[in-house]
Amino acid sequence: MKKILTLLLAGAALCGFSADVKKIAVFVQNKSGEPALDAQTDGIRERIVAAFAEVEGFQVVDATLAADAFKTSPNIAKAVGCDYAAVATILRAGATRRNVNGRLNTVFSLRMAFKVVDANGASVDGMPTWTQKFPVLDAEADATEYYDTLLDQWESDMTVAVATKAPRWRNPTAAAATLVSFHVQTSIDRTISELESQTRGTSGEQLQELRKVVGGASVELDGVVIGSAPGDFQATPGLHKIRIVRTWMDPYEATVNIQNGMNLDIALEMSDAGVKKWGTVEALRADLARRYAEAAAERNVKVNIDTSKWRDVGGSSAIKIERQ
């Protein structure tokens, strides 16, 4: 069983740190096959973060992102907009037992790796592969405390290594924030696009006003509202946590690897409150069309909206309002 817990910096452009601060993401992973060590990853992470906190000029900022996306990433630091990524790995944990003068002697062993890569994907430093053993006579069945002892030894050595080596690291220029453009739209936004395509003689300002009538979906990136969908946005390339919120719909959350020109087409599902109010998505779309058409008429905007392909319209198959 493999488990990865992460502390991530999600985009230098969103953080507002000064240019001389080295930003680092910390990853802890258990590849030992020992499930008991899954629970230790939080403690390991905290010790690594504390070690970097003691080094002047380093900043570790956490944002929860799905760790699975990093399993195939060749350049972890750049993917999360950092100068560096520190990766601690529990490589192997095990125990050998033998009888010594009538008593059971158990030797617990732990093998750890710790490396640091820069924004170019190159290894800049770390520790040599670390292996220690801990013999115990008549050991308890629960090996947690014995592995804790070994981890304490490793964490002490790691702290010394960080304090000694980190001040010498060079801040790679490749980590400078570069923004890319991406587009976000939702399944409900398609209705809005159809409505807008049926208006004539409108200015950009009028379209924006009409769009507010039917409401858009709020777009959050790494916990910050950046606008509403449909729309075009900018962010640092790499992994970000995106959240889409729209009235009467269930919130959508996912971790996405944002690249230049990406088009995120999000399928939103109606919330329980939405189902209670409209029953179906088609009925909601028809209601949006009515409100849009009425608002357009109030602004002397010509609109001709064909809703014949929508079910549950509740009456006429088309809405046609034209005013000079």
Side-chain angles (χ1 to χ4, degrees):
M1 176 179 179
K2 298 179 182 179
K3 182 178 180 182
I4 305 175
L5 296 178
T6 61
L7 283 175
L8 306 174
L9 174 69
L14 298 178
C15 297
F17 299 131
S18 60
D20 59 343
V21 173
K22 299 177 178 70
K23 296 171 283 290
I24 190 163
V26 177
F27 300 82
V28 181
Q29 52 186 341
N30 177 21
K31 291 186 175 181
S32 69
E34 175 56 62
L37 289 173
D38 285 340
Q40 306 300 318
T41 51
D42 272 337
I44 296 172
R45 178 200 65 196
E46 291 170 1
R47 286 292 297 271
I48 296 173
V49 171
F52 280 107
E54 295 298 319
V55 182
E56 184 177 356
F58 273 89
Q59 180 71 54
V60 183
V61 177
D62 65 332
T64 304
L65 300 177
D68 286 347
F70 298 104
K71 292 181 179 178
T72 58
S73 175
N75 194 341
I76 296 175
K78 187 175 182 179
V80 292
C82 288
D83 300 303
Y84 301 104
V87 183
T89 305
I90 306 173
L91 295 173
R92 187 176 64 81
T96 57
R97 298 173 176 84
R98 70 178 193 174
N99 190 290
V100 178
N101 297 325
R103 298 181 66 182
L104 181 63
N105 182 51
T106 305
V107 179
F108 295 92
S109 62
L110 184 68
R111 187 175 180 84
M112 301 286 297
F114 181 69
K115 68 177 182 177
V116 177
V117 296
D118 65 17
N120 298 312
S123 178
V124 296
D125 220 328
M127 292 171 56
T129 302
W130 185 96
T131 303
Q132 288 290 339
K133 296 181 178 180
F134 181 43
V136 180
L137 284 174
D138 302 323
E140 299 289 337
D142 184 358
T144 302
E145 66 175 290
Y146 311 124
Y147 288 130
D148 282 347
T149 299
L150 289 167
L151 283 171
D152 284 343
Q153 295 178 26
W154 176 83
E155 289 167 351
S156 178
D157 291 344
M158 176 274 303
T159 300
V160 172
V162 168
T164 303
K165 299 179 178 184
R168 302 196 303 262
W169 297 344
R170 183 169 52 87
N171 196 1
T173 57
T178 300
L179 300 181
V180 296
S181 298
F182 65 102
H183 183 78
V184 178
Q185 67 179 22
T186 73
S187 49
I188 294 298
D189 296 331
R190 296 193 201 101
T191 301
I192 298 174
S193 297
E194 291 178 34
L195 299 177
E196 292 179 344
S197 69
Q198 299 302 317
T199 60
R200 296 192 297 276
T202 56
S203 66
E205 184 176 337
Q206 286 176 316
L207 282 176
Q208 288 298 322
E209 289 181 6
L210 290 172
R211 183 176 294 185
K212 291 178 182 178
V213 172
V214 294
S218 174
V219 180
E220 298 177 13
L221 198 68
D222 303 321
V224 178
V225 177
I226 59 174
S228 61
D232 295 308
F233 308 95
Q234 287 190 319
T236 52
L239 294 169
H240 294 271
K241 185 174 182 179
I242 194 167
R243 187 169 187 262
I244 310 295
V245 180
R246 195 187 197 288
T247 307
W248 310 113
M249 312 300 287
D250 285 332
Y252 173 89
E253 293 185 9
T255 298
V256 294
N257 187 11
I258 293 177
Q259 301 299 324
N260 193 42
M262 175 178 286
N263 181 38
L264 297 174
D265 194 349
I266 309 300
L268 294 178
E269 295 184 1
M270 190 177 290
S271 65
D272 291 342
V275 171
K276 184 177 181 179
K277 183 176 179 64
W278 282 286
T280 66
V281 173
E282 287 78 7
L284 168 59
R285 295 177 69 192
D287 188 50
L288 291 178
R290 292 190 187 94
R291 287 192 283 145
Y292 189 91
E294 290 169 358
E298 291 174 0
R299 291 165 174 77
N300 294 321
V301 174
K302 295 180 180 180
V303 67
N304 185 353
I305 304 170
D306 181 8
T307 61
S308 59
K309 59 184 176 181
W310 299 347
R311 299 188 304 275
D312 301 325
V313 170
S316 174
S317 62
I319 299 173
K320 183 176 182 179
I321 299 178
E322 292 192 3
R323 183 176 296 177
Q324 297 295 335

